[in-house]
Amino acid sequence: MKPLIMQSDFGYSDGAVSAMHGVAYGVDSDLPIEDLTHNIPPYDVWEGSCRLAQTLAYWPAGSVFVSVVDPGVGSDRLSVVAKTKSGHFVVTPDNGTLTHIAVTYGLDELREIDESVNRLPGSNHSYTFHGRDIYAYTGARLASGKITFAQVGPALETEKAIMLPVMKPRIEGGKAFGTIDTHDVRYGSLWTNIPRELFLDLGAKMGEYVRVHIENQLGDVYSAPLKYVRSFADVSVGEPLIYTNSLDNMAIAINRGSFAMAYSVGQGTQWKVDFEYPLDDSPLV
């Protein structure tokens, strides 16, 4: 028996999450069930994809994730289970939710859910709650060992899984380019897709200043030299900073403040960021 971890954009204002838990426990009352989050913004497949990549590696191989951010529920989009190269399973609509785990970990196998056998009995005439009727049910059956991965349904080519557009981080002309993938939501820090090791290829050392430039489809949003430090405590309260986040990627924050709110910065591929080093106009450090 493996853990079953759920995420969705359902929130907690009604019984949707509880219903999913109930279906899973109905498959096996001893099943270990945890929640990743149910506060994904409504219909935000990108955010759901990011949160899976943030969390997946910290669970043991064989763990089964159910991710339901499904604006196309009831349409002809496929319901799938992916096996990652790290040995985890993700049960989800095939709508781009697999993007960041495909980039970060790689997809080993992909199967379409055979709804003729992997569907909550008696739910055949319901078309708007696949999170309960298909995903929680199939995920619980897989995690509890009631079915094998092969019994999920027919195999699909992993290359045909729907992927959201992403920008690969790169170094060019003394700058590291990337995107703001997501936020540290509660604190308003910006999490980029630029790995620490790529950033360090610029040559910047701890305590030095690096120019941060942020833009979106409308133009420049922010540009200033910020101090590259180990943690928030290395700058004054209210001072912005560059640091390495828990995913070993570069991040931008304000000590005890929200950078995202202060500068109205969003997330996704339309939010581009670059770090420039060295600077002729850097403050002395």
Side-chain angles (χ1 to χ4, degrees):
M1 188 172 296
K2 300 296 184 181
L4 181 69
I5 305 99
M6 297 188 183
Q7 82 163 6
S8 74
D9 59 351
F10 296 159
Y12 292 98
S13 59
D14 64 14
V17 173
S18 182
M20 291 172 65
H21 281 234
V23 166
Y25 280 127
V27 171
D28 193 315
S29 59
D30 293 325
L31 190 63
I33 302 174
E34 298 289 342
D35 291 312
L36 194 162
T37 180
H38 293 286
N39 288 324
I40 301 293
Y43 319 120
D44 194 340
V45 176
W46 177 273
E47 179 75 0
S49 175
C50 288
R51 295 307 169 196
L52 280 174
Q54 176 187 353
T55 310
L56 184 139
Y58 298 99
W59 287 87
S63 296
V64 178
F65 289 77
V66 169
S67 180
V68 191
V69 185
D70 193 12
V73 65
S75 70
D76 59 358
R77 61 94 185 95
L78 297 182
S79 296
V80 299
V81 181
K83 182 182 179 183
T84 69
K85 291 187 181 297
S86 58
H88 300 83
F89 298 92
V90 181
V91 186
T92 182
D94 182 26
N95 61 3
T97 301
L98 299 172
T99 300
H100 287 87
I101 61 170
V103 170
T104 306
Y105 307 107
L107 300 184
D108 191 37
E109 296 182 65
L110 186 69
R111 290 186 176 272
E112 180 181 358
I113 297 175
D114 180 353
E115 297 179 17
S116 68
V117 292
N118 292 309
R119 186 183 182 115
L120 181 68
S123 69
N124 298 62
H125 299 291
S126 174
Y127 302 100
T128 60
F129 199 175
H130 287 176
R132 175 195 65 194
D133 300 337
I134 298 173
Y135 303 131
Y137 183 71
T138 301
R141 280 161 60 80
L142 183 60
S144 64
K146 298 289 191 300
I147 59 172
T148 64
F149 181 52
Q151 291 173 310
V152 165
L156 302 170
E157 296 179 31
T158 57
E159 295 79 9
K160 292 189 176 179
I162 292 176
M163 295 290 151
L164 303 173
V166 295
M167 172 182 166
K168 185 177 180 180
R170 70 186 194 281
I171 293 276
E172 186 178 310
K175 296 181 180 180
F177 293 88
T179 55
I180 298 168
D181 261 6
T182 190
H183 296 167
D184 187 347
V185 177
R186 188 167 179 83
Y187 302 106
S189 304
L190 312 182
W191 285 10
T192 80
N193 70 334
I194 300 174
R196 174 182 54 86
E197 291 188 358
L198 183 68
F199 171 84
L200 292 179
D201 285 344
L202 292 174
K205 303 293 191 298
M206 284 283 182
E208 295 187 313
Y209 281 82
V210 176
R211 181 172 295 281
V212 173
H213 172 239
I214 299 170
E215 64 180 34
N216 62 16
Q217 66 272 28
L218 300 178
D220 294 340
V221 174
Y222 181 86
S223 182
L226 302 185
K227 205 172 195 180
Y228 168 45
V229 295
R230 192 178 309 277
S231 71
F232 300 90
D234 293 332
V235 299
S236 302
V237 172
E239 184 179 349
L241 62 133
I242 301 168
Y243 71 103
T244 304
N245 69 10
S246 58
L247 302 181
D248 207 26
N249 287 344
M250 303 314 298
I252 304 157
I254 295 175
N255 186 16
R256 302 193 195 181
S258 170
F259 198 105
M261 186 178 296
Y263 297 100
S264 300
V265 178
Q267 61 191 41
T269 53
Q270 72 273 25
W271 288 91
K272 295 178 171 57
V273 60
D274 64 76
F275 297 101
E276 181 184 6
Y277 180 89
L279 299 176
D280 294 334
D281 57 350
S282 299
L284 295 176
V285 294

